[in-house]
Amino acid sequence: MIPHRVLPVLCGLGIAACASAIPLTEQVSEQQILGDDVTSVTQPSGQLSGRFLHITDFHLDTHYKSGTSVERVCHREKGTAGPLGAQGTECDAPQTLIDETFRWIETNLKGKIDFVLWTGDSARHDNDERIPRTAGEIIDLNEVLATKFIDVFEDKETPRGLSIPIIPTIGNNDIMPHNIFKEGPNRWTRRFTEVWARFIPEHQRHTFEEGGWFLAEVIPNKLAALSLNTMYFYESNSAVDGCAAKSEPGYEHMEWLRIQLELLRERDMKAILIGHVPPARAGSKRNWDESCWQKYTLFLNRFRDVVAGSVYGHMNIDHFMLQDSHDVDILAAASESESENSSSHDPEFAVQSRSTYLNSLRENWAEMPSPPAEMSSLESWSADFFDADAASEAALGKKAQRFLHKIGGPWAERYSVSLVSPSVVPNYFPTLRVIEYNTTGLEGVTLWSDSPYSDDSVESVILEDIDTDELDEEIAKKKHGKKGKNNKKKKPSFKVPNHPSPTAPPGPAYSDQTMTWLSYAQYFANLSHIYGDSSSESESEHSQQPSSTSKENANANADVSKSLDLYTVEYDTCTDKTYKLKDLTVRSYFELAKRIANKNRRKHDAILEVEEEEEEAASSESSAEDETDPLANGKKNGNRKKKHRNRVWRTFLERAFVGFLSDDELDDIIESEVPE
Ligand SMILES: *[C@@H]1O[C@H](CO)[C@@H](O)[C@H](O)[C@H]1NC(C)=O
Ligand SMILES: *[C@@H]1O[C@H](CO)[C@@H](O)[C@H](O)[C@H]1NC(C)=O
Ligand SMILES: *[C@@H]1O[C@H](CO)[C@@H](O)[C@H](O)[C@H]1NC(C)=O
């Protein structure tokens, strides 16, 4: 086994197509030991590093007390809550974990990333009726986090006082009552305008105060991050109703998004979309109102030349989703949202419902077009697939051509991808993600840190003067046109954006070019390991100490001061041999999704870890208990059906839960699948 920490180094040696993952401080010495000519770890000042941080769901809880009971959300009574958080529980994150996380970021990432995407839920959950949250506390917790970012990235020498841009977004627990967010301006948009004053560009503050969304050029004139207020799309927000009706803030938000993307297209810029609640839509899970999902999916398809990628949080499980533009029905998007079943009120979203959701995703992926036989051996599929650009398309057989047509073209243009990073709060283990992107051709661009706010004339003129003239035109047309409820020709009540110009090259989300996301390294803090390491000396102290807060904190600090390497690489797609992600383009994810969904044992990736002999006992299938709780069964039925396993699917599940689940628990999830 290659030790985790060496992976990024190998990566830097050019084993994979992507550039080297973030070189951690402790890795520098390993590089030196190896004596290899690894590219210098910090970019010369004034250059992009080609990396950014995605971090999400801190859920800081200042009531957390080490040594209390996880049954009491780590607030009181004697228990096992550790100083850095209670992994695998519903407890929120102690201040110590937040402090150490930022210390780690400062030590390992400062000067090596170009911007931060911070996707919300910084405040603790409202999960203890004895200590109800107050609006003041929620704002205070957010202020603590904002200050942490400022402390790490402050640079008084630069015009904006920060070395890199930090892009926050509002989470469903950053407001009160949670999930409920009314049309702006409201007290939350006003308060967050203040809390995030250093992060929201001056000329965007008005926009933000109105709706809670904003745009920031993270690489001036090249790349913009659009912070979406997903509270207006969120099914569980009963104060609003989707994106279909003109009176809804969600409608206005989508109009804003469309217009921004149009402007960015005109300026030949690229966009990153960030939000808290992701557009999950699989099985009974519907995070967003359907009308919002429809518009979003439509826009991502139409602006596929502009959007470089999108990141979300909220779900605390590591996964991705593909939006299928064939599921877009403009009329549905334009009409009032249908009543859909939704399970998004589920407050726990425990392993059980999470695995059900992941299974639904997999079922959806299984239904996506499969490559024809001539491309279907997965080993050769890769090669064929990646060579299948426009030039060589003619060389492919008819079936292969038909397949490419089905998926929207050689770059799988039919689809778009949303990436979800798991959380800092240790529902499993604390994590954060560093994404690499292609900066070829960006040498010598003006950096965000060198461009003062006052230099934003272009931005402000264009963005402030937009009105929705075109939109009104569209509506006028519609009024004079035919009416009739079931008229298939009915025009949608919003402007449908154009496709990219037919001569435009595929966008950065589709083919590797400048701004394309190349790989990511998922970092995690194995709290079990960290607690285990110090246990021999100090465990007894911990558990037996009377709960004197100051003493415990002293203890905690003593423990963690050693753990500069709090976070280590869980996996790095740059070197990962299971996912085999050549880059993070839609096509790469499409291919990965098909491999995860593959149930054909003869195929390369359906590794037979467990051989047939174990299958004879099989008749029992999944029992009723399996359906209700895969974890409760344990090993009690020895005659569980050991189906052939798909190694990629298993790895996907393992990573979804940040490596926290045991082999048995993973087996149980896999075996509780509905039989084909
Ligand atoms: C919605 O839920 C009801 C039961 O609550 C079920 O009978 C129905 O089939 C569901 N509809 C959809 C579209 O899932
Ligand atoms: C980055 O994009 C350029 C084109 O802009 C391409 O030639 C190059 O191969 C890409 N680099 C990486 C590391 O993928
Ligand atoms: C975390 O640490 C524990 C204890 O050292 C170890 O047993 C486990 O395998 C580790 N988990 C991961 C995902 O590395």
Side-chain angles (χ1 to χ4, degrees):
M1 263 306 291
I2 303 170
H4 273 149
R5 285 186 204 163
V6 182
L7 285 176
V9 179
L10 294 177
C11 195
L13 297 176
I15 286 173
C18 40
S20 74
I22 196 78
L24 298 183
T25 303
E26 66 267 22
Q27 286 160 359
V28 174
S29 58
E30 289 179 41
Q31 289 172 3
Q32 285 158 353
I33 290 163
L34 285 174
D36 280 301
D37 184 20
V38 179
T39 9
S40 163
V41 295
T42 16
Q43 74 279 12
S45 62
Q47 287 217 2
L48 292 165
S49 65
R51 294 186 198 93
F52 61 89
L53 169 65
H54 176 205
I55 192 160
T56 197
D57 292 82
F58 285 102
H59 287 294
L60 169 59
D61 179 6
T62 49
H63 303 287
Y64 185 103
K65 286 194 193 67
S66 181
T68 57
S69 166
V70 301
E71 304 295 327
R72 298 288 172 268
V73 290
C74 300
H75 286 171
R76 60 187 158 268
E77 292 177 22
K78 246 177 188 300
T80 56
L84 285 165
Q87 70 276 23
T89 73
E90 297 291 315
C91 292
D92 283 326
Q95 180 78 48
T96 329
L97 176 62
I98 305 303
D99 292 344
E100 288 311 310
T101 298
F102 278 91
R103 199 141 69 103
W104 187 90
I105 291 171
E106 175 150 35
T107 311
N108 294 287
L109 300 184
K110 191 178 173 176
K112 297 169 191 168
I113 52 175
D114 300 329
F115 49 93
V116 176
L117 306 179
W118 166 24
T119 48
D121 264 11
S122 302
R124 69 177 175 103
H125 288 95
D126 198 6
N127 57 5
D128 185 353
E129 57 192 19
R130 287 211 217 164
I131 318 178
R133 302 193 312 168
T134 62
E137 182 189 8
I138 293 168
I139 292 297
D140 285 349
L141 293 172
N142 268 281
E143 250 159 16
V144 170
L145 269 303
T147 306
K148 283 281 175 192
F149 278 112
I150 292 168
D151 286 350
V152 171
F153 295 107
E154 184 142 62
D155 182 350
K156 296 232 161 69
E157 318 259 281
T158 64
R160 307 198 217 201
L162 289 172
S163 58
I164 55 171
I166 289 144
I167 314 299
T169 188
I170 299 170
N172 62 307
N173 287 293
D174 296 324
I175 52 179
M176 207 179 85
H178 71 284
N179 300 348
I180 307 303
F181 199 90
K182 295 193 179 126
E183 181 165 16
N186 57 43
R187 65 167 166 168
W188 296 105
T189 61
R190 289 198 191 94
R191 290 311 304 276
F192 278 108
T193 306
E194 292 161 21
V195 176
W196 294 337
R198 303 283 297 272
F199 309 142
I200 302 172
E202 238 159 62
H203 61 276
Q204 291 280 308
R205 281 185 201 148
H206 177 68
T207 305
F208 183 83
E209 214 171 301
E210 292 289 316
W213 58 75
F214 71 98
L215 173 150
E217 297 196 13
V218 293
I219 307 175
N221 294 311
K222 298 288 177 191
L223 178 66
L226 280 71
S227 175
L228 304 178
N229 182 357
T230 55
M231 293 308 102
Y232 291 144
F233 311 150
Y234 192 26
E235 270 288 307
S236 302
N237 181 3
S238 54
V240 296
D241 184 23
C243 301
K246 277 196 79 184
S247 55
E248 287 299 323
Y251 179 97
E252 205 185 321
H253 196 355
M254 282 296 172
E255 283 301 294
W256 175 85
L257 174 61
R258 174 179 66 77
I259 290 164
Q260 299 317 310
L261 292 173
E262 258 158 27
L263 290 169
L264 292 171
R265 176 185 271 166
E266 273 167 33
R267 293 174 62 193
D268 200 20
M269 287 178 65
K270 304 303 173 194
I272 290 176
L273 308 184
I274 81 159
H276 178 67
V277 177
R281 185 178 179 268
S284 62
K285 187 100 195 139
R286 294 269 194 285
N287 276 353
W288 286 14
D289 180 277
E290 178 67 8
S291 62
C292 304
W293 188 91
Q294 290 276 331
K295 285 191 178 181
Y296 181 77
T297 302
L298 173 70
F299 292 176
L300 280 168
N301 178 253
R302 294 296 172 99
F303 290 108
R304 58 189 181 273
D305 53 333
V306 179
V307 178
S310 54
V311 302
Y312 292 91
H314 179 66
M315 295 177 83
N316 298 353
I317 46 173
D318 180 345
H319 71 296
F320 62 94
M321 53 197 79
L322 291 156
Q323 292 87 226
D324 182 352
S325 63
H326 286 197
D327 289 346
V328 172
D329 173 349
I330 298 300
L331 287 174
S335 65
E336 291 300 320
S337 54
E338 322 104 61
S339 57
E340 292 263 357
N341 285 354
S342 166
S343 65
S344 53
H345 283 270
D346 184 358
E348 304 274 312
F349 198 37
V351 169
Q352 161 63 13
S353 61
R354 283 173 174 162
S355 58
T356 305
Y357 161 70
L358 294 170
N359 262 311
S360 307
L361 272 184
R362 187 178 184 222
E363 294 303 325
N364 291 355
W365 295 340
E367 284 161 21
M368 298 192 302
S370 290
E374 66 217 73
M375 296 170 90
S376 70
S377 145
L378 279 166
E379 301 105 300
S380 68
W381 179 26
S382 268
D384 291 346
F385 204 48
F386 285 123
D387 289 339
D389 58 19
S392 60
E393 202 178 330
L396 290 169
K398 279 231 164 60
K399 282 181 185 160
Q401 281 187 39
R402 209 172 305 141
F403 165 69
L404 292 181
H405 183 72
K406 272 194 208 152
I407 63 170
W411 318 101
E413 292 96 317
R414 172 173 162 182
Y415 301 95
S416 57
V417 170
S418 301
L419 301 185
V420 180
S421 176
S423 52
V424 172
V425 69
N427 266 200
Y428 306 106
F429 290 126
T431 69
L432 49 86
R433 178 177 289 192
V434 177
I435 299 179
E436 280 191 53
Y437 66 104
N438 187 334
T439 52
T440 307
L442 296 177
E443 301 80 8
V445 292
T446 304
L447 299 184
W448 181 89
S449 56
D450 297 334
S451 67
Y453 276 134
S454 54
D455 197 25
D456 55 23
S457 49
V458 187
E459 275 180 309
S460 53
V461 169
I462 295 182
L463 300 179
E464 294 296 331
D465 291 351
I466 284 302
D467 54 35
T468 44
D469 278 347
E470 324 139 290
L471 180 71
D472 296 334
E473 252 176 62
E474 194 68 34
I475 290 156
K477 260 192 247 162
K478 195 194 147 203
K479 270 192 189 151
H480 297 140
K482 278 184 249 165
K483 281 185 185 172
K485 265 184 182 158
N486 297 317
N487 185 351
K488 282 276 170 200
K489 300 259 158 61
K490 191 174 80 169
K491 280 253 178 75
S493 68
F494 65 99
K495 186 172 183 290
V496 177
N498 294 326
H499 282 286
S501 140
T503 58
Y510 293 85
S511 83
D512 184 10
Q513 58 192 268
T514 309
M515 301 296 183
T516 294
W517 295 4
L518 298 170
S519 68
Y520 68 83
Q522 191 71 36
Y523 291 89
F524 82 128
N526 186 341
L527 295 185
S528 305
H529 180 72
I530 290 166
Y531 294 153
D533 267 0
S534 52
S535 65
S536 44
E537 302 137 49
S538 57
E539 190 176 45
S540 50
E541 279 174 60
H542 269 304
S543 45
Q544 277 151 37
Q545 218 152 66
S547 50
S548 142
T549 318
S550 57
K551 250 194 175 162
E552 296 228 327
N553 284 345
N555 232 341
N557 290 338
D559 272 339
V560 295
S561 60
K562 295 175 258 171
S563 52
L564 271 181
D565 55 350
L566 178 62
Y567 289 88
T568 53
V569 175
E570 181 200 356
Y571 66 97
D572 183 344
T573 68
C574 182
T575 46
D576 179 47
K577 297 282 190 288
T578 307
Y579 279 5
K580 296 183 189 157
L581 285 168
K582 182 187 180 234
D583 49 38
L584 305 184
T585 57
V586 173
R587 201 167 67 174
S588 296
Y589 271 104
F590 175 83
E591 191 180 352
L592 174 59
K594 290 307 288 181
R595 290 171 65 230
I596 290 170
N598 180 26
K599 290 180 180 174
N600 182 343
R601 64 170 59 188
R602 274 190 222 96
K603 299 240 174 104
H604 178 64
D605 285 292
I607 290 273
L608 304 171
E609 279 185 329
V610 181
E611 291 301 338
E612 272 89 303
E613 58 258 35
E614 281 183 82
E615 264 185 52
E616 1 95 328
S619 52
S620 68
E621 316 294 353
S622 38
S623 62
E625 301 113 276
D626 275 331
E627 297 296 296
T628 55
D629 185 3
L631 296 186
N633 269 356
K635 280 135 282 183
K636 77 163 189 277
N637 59 6
N639 63 346
R640 290 180 306 176
K641 181 175 182 179
K642 294 274 186 185
K643 292 209 290 190
H644 59 275
R645 287 180 185 159
N646 173 334
R647 179 172 54 94
V648 191
W649 165 230
R650 191 186 167 86
T651 302
F652 176 72
L653 281 177
E654 185 183 342
R655 290 174 180 174
F657 299 102
V658 200
F660 183 80
L661 298 190
S662 68
D663 283 348
D664 282 345
E665 287 165 327
L666 286 171
D667 285 346
D668 286 340
I669 290 175
I670 288 168
E671 283 148 29
S672 68
E673 281 170 46
V674 190
E676 290 138 76

